Amino acid sequence: ANACLLAERFAAEGLAARVVGVPKSVDGHLKSEQVELPVGFDSASKLYSELVGNVMTDCTSSRKYYHFVRLMGRDASHLALEVALRTRPNLVLLGEEAAQQSRTIAGLVGEVADLVAERAAAGMEYGVVLVSEGLVDFLPEVRNLLRELDGALAERDAQDSNSYEGLSDDWLSSALSPPAFAAFS
């Protein structure tokens, strides 16, 4: 998009310049037959793998604490997946997987709690959990909450110019469905 804007600007100004767009993304979602590996993904995955590996080494050496590492990738969990494949953490929470399996916040918390309990029973009270940055946005209950909030606030805004003033739990509970209000709470 930036290359197109530059090309249009140069053309409008009559400048004789060539603009070349280079696909880049740390998310890794631009792979295709034409783009084997976008600029940024390989470097980011190597660097994050090294850093996560260091955290895992420290964790194993000290034998205490759980480390939760959030990795870039709001719209795609490719980077978190690549780092997980390189480092083998105790648990990986990916957005696309959560959406495909219709996971809930309570279910994810339960999965982490089960991991901690199982490892504690084995005498390992430490570990590393990778979390993709956009995980929460992929959860159906959060998507539903955001959709309902957008609609309720737009309706309220149409009636009142300052729609955020006076928001209360009572208003929210009446404006949102019970599952959306539960996710909000």
Side-chain angles (χ1 to χ4, degrees), residues 155-174:
E155 184 178 315
R156 184 179 166 109
D157 195 36
Q159 299 168 0
D160 182 359
S161 63
N162 193 359
S163 64
Y164 296 104
E165 190 174 297
L167 291 181
S168 66
D169 280 353
D170 289 337
W171 180 83
L172 286 169
S173 68
S174 67

Side-chain angles (χ1 to χ4, degrees), residues 95-156:
E96 294 86 347
E97 195 173 76
Q100 182 182 23
Q101 298 170 1
S102 296
R103 307 288 302 276
T104 63
I105 295 170
L108 292 174
V109 170
E111 186 175 352
V112 172
D114 290 345
L115 170 76
V116 170
E118 288 171 18
R119 289 181 58 80
M124 298 179 287
E125 297 186 356
Y126 57 91
V128 175
V129 177
L130 298 185
V131 181
S132 65
E133 178 183 19
L135 173 67
V136 173
D137 296 335
F138 279 93
L139 299 176
E141 65 190 320
V142 173
R143 284 185 176 195
N144 182 51
L145 167 63
L146 294 175
R147 186 179 63 251
E148 287 190 29
L149 270 175
D150 283 346
L153 290 172
E155 184 178 315
R156 184 179 166 109

Side-chain angles (χ1 to χ4, degrees), residues 4 12 16 18 45 48-49 58 69 72 75 82-83 85 91 136-137 140 145 150 152 175-176 180:
C4 289
R18 293 181 192 265
S45 65
Y48 286 139
S49 294
D58 290 348
V69 181
M72 293 171 63
D75 298 324
E82 181 68 23
V83 172
L85 291 170
L91 182 63
V136 173
D137 296 335
L145 167 63
D150 283 346
L176 301 174

